Amino acid sequence: MPHLLVIGGSDAGISASLRARELDPATDVTMVLADAFPNFSICGIPFYLSGETPDWRHLAHRTREEIEATGLAVRTDTRALEFDIGGRRVQLAGPDGREEWCPYDRLVIGTGAVPIEPPIDGIRQEGVHLLRTMGDTFALEERLDRAERAVIVGGGYIGLEMADALTHRGLGVTLLEQAPEVMTTVDVDLGAIVSQELLRRGVDVQTSALVERIERRGGRLVVSGTDLSPAEADVVIVVVSVRPDSALAREAGIALGVRGAIAVDRRMRTDAPDVFAAGDCVETWHRLLAKRTYMPLGTTAHKQGRIAGENAVGGEREFEGSLGTQVVKVFDLAIARTGLRDDEARREGMNPATTQIRTWDHKVYYPGATPMELRITGDRDGRLLGAQIVGDHRGEVAKRIDVVATALSAGMRVEDLSSLDLSYTPPLGSPWDPIQMAAQDWLRATAPAQAGAAP
Ligand SMILES: Cc1cc2nc3c(=O)[nH]c(=O)nc-3n(C[C@H](O)[C@H](O)[C@H](O)COP(=O)(O)OP(=O)(O)OC[C@H]3O[C@@H](n4cnc5c(N)ncnc54)[C@H](O)[C@@H]3O)c2cc1C
């Protein structure tokens, strides 16, 4: 029986393992993970820490019993120490520390990413936490139980979710971001709307604030640096970014690519024979740019893992690529993007135009209508390139960004958005969906003759 060894038991690892078993039940699959939490949704960590999802066990997409019922062998608390590519074996250290070599016919690497530790004096001390794993979560939770104030370093989506979560938990929160605005994945003026929401909910937001040191004074931590008012806290959470966990692959001589991620082709093959890799540890094929990037996201890890699993049992599936489609909820807001922003398209030598409208998520005569900002980017030749949306989270922002993502996947033009047959009922939308109004506005601004009927 061929043996597929999968290193990593999160989004990429479980997707690869399950797909391989599904397609070829004759394959013997072993999934090895360094911690005790196979197939956990680490995306749900902020909602556990906020108290909205009170039981951490509910973050499991599947229980261990459900996973094992598919015929997978699961080895928890077991760490891969070395890949011996020539010998087709991986050295493992089990829960008791005992080391052994485990042979494989095919190997899938899904070791994920690790948090970046920025150069801040005093970052390694009690009360300062990075956040990635369930282990990190429990350590932080213990501290939160005794804390009144928190400082979050990093205004990306995880920092923002944590600001919301800790406020919900009853802590006072300061959020420090080095960039001119929070949420740098969207344009600065859309990020400013998010800052306003944080301020409205009592979060002390400081942007263009470079954190340089964390000191303990009395019983508290004091976070200071350039262009920021020193902030006191009982706990500091540093969530600035992640880097691919590709060290074992590199040491085994496997080629790395963009930002040190494992280089893979679109079949998720590395340059080593019978070794596949997927998820946050690998490069991501960008669908619009037709080149490799690094975009660590759970949605991508699932898709890449599934393809790695399929190909590891003889398939020939290609990864279609990512558009960087994402959405995040911060207090009452949802912020979403897909495809390229104006500046990103310009950097790639395109000739983009971007327009923005503000409209309602549904007909205003029906109670509860909320405003949303929609920004469409298209090449001046009419090709759709991307969208960004900020609105109330009850206003179906995610649905709207997904319509654009689907249109981008289909290679559609901006004007094609206008003719999509989208659903409508006054409590949920308008005869012209906001995304269609935004497309028509883009057409009016860039090519008045093509604008067609106004809403
Ligand atoms: C707080 C938070 C919120 C997030 N929210 C979202 C979201 O809303 N939407 C979204 O798309 N993405 C989100 N993400 C990102 C998403 O969680 C990751 O993209 C996804 O988990 C990547 O999956 P992965 O399997 O590649 O890696 P990881 O989830 O990092 O898992 C790596 C696995 O490898 C194992 N491992 C590592 N090294 C070894 C070793 N040497 N030996 C054995 N096992 C090893 C680990 O134990 C783990 O099982 C969030 C991430 C965090 C931290």
Side-chain angles (χ1 to χ4, degrees):
M1 207 186 247
H3 183 219
L4 172 63
L5 181 60
V6 178
I7 306 299
S10 185
D11 296 350
I14 189 74
S15 301
S17 305
L18 291 175
R19 185 63 174 157
R21 286 290 303 172
E22 180 180 41
L23 292 177
D24 183 9
T27 295
D28 191 10
V29 181
T30 307
M31 187 175 80
V32 172
L33 59 152
D35 66 17
F37 307 99
N39 203 195
F40 265 63
S41 171
I42 57 173
C43 305
I45 289 172
F47 313 106
Y48 168 62
L49 289 173
S50 70
E52 291 157 289
T53 302
D55 187 342
W56 59 267
R57 291 171 200 83
H58 293 163
L59 297 186
H61 291 296
R62 294 174 188 79
T63 63
R64 182 165 182 158
E65 292 68 36
E66 286 166 341
I67 297 169
E68 287 176 337
T70 68
L72 282 181
V74 181
R75 294 187 60 177
T76 50
D77 292 312
T78 301
R79 180 169 284 280
L81 303 177
E82 187 183 335
F83 302 150
D84 172 8
I85 301 299
R88 286 179 182 261
R89 56 186 194 155
V90 174
Q91 190 181 33
L92 301 177
D96 55 3
R98 209 167 52 84
E99 294 178 11
E100 62 174 304
W101 286 97
C102 179
Y104 67 79
D105 297 299
R106 301 275 164 91
L107 175 67
V108 174
I109 305 172
T111 44
V114 285
I116 288 179
E117 201 179 289
I120 298 172
D121 282 350
I123 192 168
R124 291 205 177 167
Q125 65 174 300
E126 222 188 305
V128 182
H129 294 254
L130 305 176
L131 185 61
R132 173 79 187 181
T133 63
M134 291 305 295
D136 297 338
T137 305
F138 298 134
L140 174 59
E141 186 191 24
E142 206 207 333
R143 176 86 38 191
L144 291 176
D145 285 341
R146 292 174 277 131
E148 285 173 9
R149 275 209 72 83
V151 168
I152 297 170
V153 181
Y157 76 92
I158 296 176
L160 294 168
E161 285 182 339
M162 285 306 297
D164 180 337
L166 298 189
T167 306
H168 194 273
R169 202 183 164 106
L171 275 77
V173 177
T174 297
L175 186 133
L176 304 173
E177 167 57 51
Q178 181 179 346
E181 255 316 333
V182 298
M183 196 77 201
T184 53
T185 45
V186 295
D187 289 338
V188 169
D189 37 357
L190 297 182
I193 300 174
V194 186
S195 280
Q196 285 308 315
E197 175 70 356
L198 292 166
L199 290 167
R200 190 176 75 83
R201 301 300 286 258
V203 176
D204 164 34
V205 186
Q206 300 187 42
T207 52
S208 301
L210 179 65
V211 174
E212 288 167 327
R213 73 196 70 81
I214 305 169
E215 293 157 300
R216 184 163 286 282
R217 285 195 212 140
R220 292 199 121 178
L221 295 162
V222 181
V223 183
S224 60
T226 303
D227 296 329
L228 64 92
S229 315
E232 274 197 17
D234 308 297
V235 57
V236 177
I237 304 169
V238 180
V239 274
V240 293
S241 192
V242 295
R243 61 177 171 76
D245 190 350
S246 54
L248 291 182
R250 188 191 64 234
E251 287 159 14
I254 295 173
L256 304 186
V258 180
R259 287 178 54 187
I262 300 172
V264 284
D265 65 10
R266 289 178 60 191
R267 295 185 183 173
M268 310 316 298
R269 294 179 299 202
T270 70
D271 69 343
D274 296 322
V275 180
F276 300 77
D280 283 7
C281 62
V282 305
E283 302 174 322
T284 300
W285 181 254
H286 196 290
R287 196 170 182 136
L288 280 183
L289 300 178
K291 69 176 189 184
R292 293 181 172 75
T293 55
Y294 183 62
M295 286 198 290
L297 282 170
T299 46
T300 307
H302 276 95
K303 294 185 192 87
Q304 292 178 335
R306 185 177 164 90
I307 289 169
E310 178 163 343
N311 294 344
V313 293
E316 304 229 314
R317 179 88 50 194
E318 287 206 333
F319 176 53
E320 296 290 343
S322 305
L323 294 162
T325 308
Q326 52 189 285
V327 63
V328 58
K329 175 186 168 297
V330 182
F331 294 110
D332 284 345
L333 284 184
I335 308 106
R337 68 162 285 175
T338 187
L340 303 175
R341 295 188 318 223
D342 201 277
D343 58 319
E344 292 165 341
R346 216 168 283 283
R347 264 203 308 279
E348 295 294 328
M350 299 175 186
N351 185 20
T354 297
T355 56
Q356 182 175 340
I357 64 161
R358 181 186 171 86
T359 187
W360 298 95
D361 71 305
H362 64 253
K363 295 306 295 180
V364 280
Y365 59 73
Y366 186 85
T370 56
M372 64 169 63
E373 306 283 343
L374 297 102
R375 193 166 279 203
I376 294 275
T377 300
D379 199 291
R380 284 176 194 275
D381 67 7
R383 195 161 53 107
L384 179 63
L385 293 177
Q388 300 166 67
I389 308 178
V390 179
D392 190 281
H393 73 95
R394 286 153 293 211
E396 307 223 47
V397 168
K399 157 189 149 166
R400 268 114 197 183
I401 210 71
D402 288 343
V403 169
V404 181
T406 308
L408 285 169
S409 297
M412 287 167 56
R413 298 168 59 77
V414 178
E415 65 179 345
D416 296 329
L417 286 175
S418 198
S419 49
L420 288 175
D421 181 20
L422 303 178
S423 61
Y424 162 56
T425 180
L428 299 177
S430 299
W432 290 111
D433 187 82
I435 213 69
Q436 297 179 307
M437 295 185 215
Q440 290 164 0
D441 184 66
W442 187 93
L443 289 164
R444 267 192 295 274
T446 56
Q450 296 174 43

